[in-house]
Structure formats: structure tokens, C-alpha cells
Amino acid sequence: MDLLTLLLNNTILPENKIENNVCFPPTITSTWLAEGVLQLLPQTSSQRSPQEIPPDTLIISAGIHGNETAPVEILIQIVSQLAQGNLPLQHNLLLVFGNLPAMRAGKRYLEQDLNRMFGGRYRNFPLGNESNRARELESVIRQFFNQPAVMASTKRRHLDLHTAIRGSCHEQFALLPYQAREYAADFLQWLEDSNIDALVFHNTAGGTFSHFTSEYFNADSCTLEIGKALPFGQNDLARFSNMTAALQDLIAGRFSIKRDKPALKRYRVVDAIIKQHESFQLNIPEDTKNFTELPQGFVIARQQNQSWKITSPANFILFPNAHVAIGLRAGLLLEKYCC
């Protein structure tokens, strides 16, 4: 039985031995830290000499939104390659399959958006599937980073893979969480080499999974939107070959990828449209694409005692969605960013 079937049928549990589910080469130490959270450590991490550079640490997560299936299938593919010995493991690796009950139901989430709950924000939500999972994932991430082999790493990265619910003027893009420290040049270079189309820099702290690892563990983190959300079995994984190859290079410690597309576009978040009242209206068509440029002076949204008007240079809309719950983001306004 393949790993995806095991995950979707709820047959992998932390207390089960990994050998009952997936077998890895003897050069890899494997452990389930929680349901859907697989730790893989290269054997050399516990046998290196004092002069040897410790391995980097890498977290790759998918399925934080349960209906965003292509990233889950990519991670399954990577697990298979590691298990078969076709992909060498050079660094400490944590693979996270996020919202398993939502994946099984084919839904974005069951009760609340999991990707708004990290950094302790789950305490502000009712108890339920997503708030419990956010608390569990935070605990597991702390456990992972507190291990000696991982603590020795000087470089930490977290790539949280998603697919968008709408079309986009830039099909693949990365959102970098707000951080006071500089963004690592080699991380930005990896993103550019991976052939994504755009970068978006956040301007405030948030409750996303990638912001949590950036803020609390100084990881070079981002949310990667790599295409359109489709049900399991309907994804053409060839469309994501650039991202799959880039992830494989990171895992194996290779540097084979190189950009062969037009220059990466950069944007910066200027304002967030927050739905605070039942009267909220978003004055653009439902099928408006991400990164659509809007005219100066256009009133894009309004609610009781508040409206949002397009003011140059913040002319671009990202993630417009009038149907979010009250208190959540209904869109981001962006400006082009040159630095």
C-alpha cells in the first residue's frame, strides 16, 4: 500500500514502527514524530568529526489546506525516492503532512483556517480539528529543533507548499514572512533559481506556519504557491517539475538548478483587507486573478464605516476572497518592490 493511501486511510500512527509503513536505507534514521510528521536524519549527523560541518536542517510541509493536493503528491514522490535510495539525504529533514482530516474530506479545512493559527493564535479559536493540529504541530516543531543533531545546524529552512484557489498572473510565487533580520541571500537565490515567478514580502507578523518557524526558530521560511488547487489524482505533476527539482537539490545538497525564465518579480504588502462586518463587499469579480492591477481611486472593498480605495503604488490585489469568516483577511494590496 502506498504512503498516500496510508495517510488518507488513517493507518499511520506515531506509535507504529516506520518499518511497517515505509522502509528507508540504513543511511537514514526515520521517525514519525506525530501523525503525518516524518523525521528523516542522515546517519552522518550523529557520526561526524568535530571538524565536519554539520548538516543543514530543512522542513517541507504540505496539506496545511486539505484541498491543496499537488504539494502532498510531490512530498509522497520525494519520500518514495528517499526510500528507494534514488535521492540521497544530505540534511536533517522534517516532512509535514498538515491537515490530514481535511485532506481526507477533500476540504480546505473542517472548521477554521489552520494557516491563521500559528504562533499561539490557535488559543483565539474554538477547540476543534484545526486548533488542536496547530498546537500539536508547534509542539512537534519545537521537539524537532531541540534535538542535538538539529540544534547543531547553522542553516534552517522551511518551505510550506500550497496551491491557490484562483488563477494568477504569476502562476508560482513565494510569500516571505515579515522579519526584522535581513532575508538570507542564498535563500532568495534558491527561490529565484527554482523558476518561480514572483516574491511577496509581508509587512506585518502573521499566523501562518512559515511565519511561526521564521519568528521562533530563525528559519529561512516561505509559503510557496505553486499552482492551482485540484483534487487528488487530477494533478499534472509535470507542471511542478521546477519545484520538485529544486526541493530534490536542497535535500541532496546539490546545486544543479538554474533560472531559465524572465526575471523574478517582487512585491511588498502595503495593506490587508480585513472582513469585520456582515456588510462586507468586495467590488471585483469572483474570478479576479491574483496580482491583477487595479485602477487608481477604485474602491475595492467596503463594510460598515470603512472602505478600501486603490492608491498608487499599491495597485495589485492578492488572495481576494469575500467569503472568509469575519475577522479574517479578504485580500492583500501590493506594490511593486525593487529592493
Side-chain angles (χ1 to χ4, degrees):
M1 189 178 292
D2 66 276
L3 180 57
L4 179 59
T5 302
L6 289 168
L7 287 168
L8 295 182
N9 284 295
N10 197 21
T11 50
I12 291 183
L13 297 174
E15 59 268 20
N16 290 348
K17 290 184 177 180
I18 190 68
E19 288 79 10
N20 296 336
N21 304 304
V22 186
C23 295
F24 290 92
T27 54
I28 296 176
T29 302
S30 54
T31 311
W32 288 103
L33 299 185
E35 186 184 13
V37 183
L38 176 60
Q39 173 185 279
L40 301 174
L41 302 179
Q43 192 179 73
T44 54
S45 64
S46 61
Q47 298 177 343
R48 66 178 186 275
S49 68
Q51 293 78 29
E52 189 178 345
I53 298 174
D56 297 339
T57 290
L58 177 61
I59 300 173
I60 308 176
S61 51
I64 294 296
H65 292 138
N67 63 338
E68 298 176 6
T69 60
V72 174
E73 293 181 6
I74 290 171
L75 257 62
I76 295 292
Q77 188 179 85
I78 286 173
V79 171
S80 176
Q81 291 166 343
L82 287 165
Q84 293 169 13
N86 298 327
L87 179 63
L89 180 64
Q90 184 68 28
H91 303 298
N92 306 317
L93 178 62
L94 190 71
L95 299 175
V96 179
F97 297 92
N99 195 338
L100 291 168
M103 286 167 52
R104 293 164 188 145
K107 296 181 177 180
R108 184 174 174 85
Y109 49 80
L110 298 188
E111 294 143 355
Q112 305 285 344
D113 191 336
L114 176 59
N115 212 30
R116 301 292 178 270
M117 295 187 177
F118 291 97
R121 292 171 179 82
Y122 58 83
R123 300 184 186 93
N124 300 327
F125 291 84
L127 288 176
N129 174 64
E130 281 77 24
S131 57
N132 289 335
R133 185 59 164 171
R135 182 176 63 251
E136 180 180 45
L137 289 179
E138 288 194 12
S139 176
V140 168
I141 295 298
R142 290 190 178 92
Q143 176 186 346
F144 177 64
F145 277 117
N146 282 334
Q147 296 177 86
V150 177
M151 290 177 69
S153 295
T154 57
K155 187 177 295 182
R156 299 170 169 185
R157 289 177 173 173
H158 175 204
L159 307 168
D160 186 30
L161 307 183
H162 289 253
T163 50
I165 60 176
R166 65 177 59 245
S168 181
C169 298
H170 303 305
E171 183 178 22
Q172 296 187 341
F173 56 97
L175 298 109
L176 289 100
Y178 170 78
Q179 58 187 47
R181 66 187 188 279
E182 289 188 10
Y183 296 95
D186 61 344
F187 185 53
L188 296 180
Q189 186 63 54
W190 179 84
L191 288 168
E192 184 167 358
D193 289 343
S194 72
N195 265 348
I196 63 172
D197 303 303
L199 298 181
V200 177
F201 294 83
H202 274 287
N203 63 341
T204 58
T208 63
F209 197 16
S210 61
H211 186 93
F212 169 69
T213 54
S214 170
E215 179 180 3
Y216 288 85
F217 303 99
N218 289 322
D220 298 320
S221 304
C222 71
T223 302
L224 275 165
E225 300 280 354
I226 62 172
K228 193 78 164 54
L230 293 170
F232 282 114
Q234 295 184 23
N235 296 297
D236 177 8
L237 294 187
R239 294 185 62 85
F240 313 106
S241 59
N242 63 311
M243 184 53 56
T244 303
L247 294 172
Q248 290 167 336
D249 269 16
L250 271 185
I251 291 168
R254 301 187 300 233
F255 302 94
S256 65
I257 57 172
K258 190 173 182 181
R259 187 171 188 83
D260 59 9
K261 293 171 67 173
L264 192 68
K265 303 292 192 300
R266 296 188 177 204
Y267 298 84
R268 179 166 55 190
V269 176
V270 175
D271 196 11
I273 300 171
I274 307 298
K275 181 177 179 178
Q276 298 284 16
H277 194 267
E278 291 291 351
S279 63
F280 180 85
Q281 293 182 336
L282 197 57
N283 301 322
I284 53 176
E286 290 268 341
D287 60 353
T288 298
K289 292 183 177 181
N290 287 323
F291 299 98
T292 293
E293 185 171 4
L294 300 169
Q296 171 80 3
F298 175 67
V299 178
I300 184 173
R302 65 171 74 247
Q303 61 190 359
Q304 188 179 59
N305 301 322
Q306 189 176 17
S307 64
W308 286 265
K309 183 183 291 187
I310 298 299
T311 304
S312 185
N315 293 85
F316 301 87
I317 183 67
L318 181 63
F319 301 140
N321 184 0
H323 306 296
V324 297
I326 289 177
L328 295 185
R329 180 192 72 200
L332 292 172
L333 298 176
L334 312 178
E335 65 176 359
K336 286 187 173 177
Y337 185 43
C338 299
C339 302

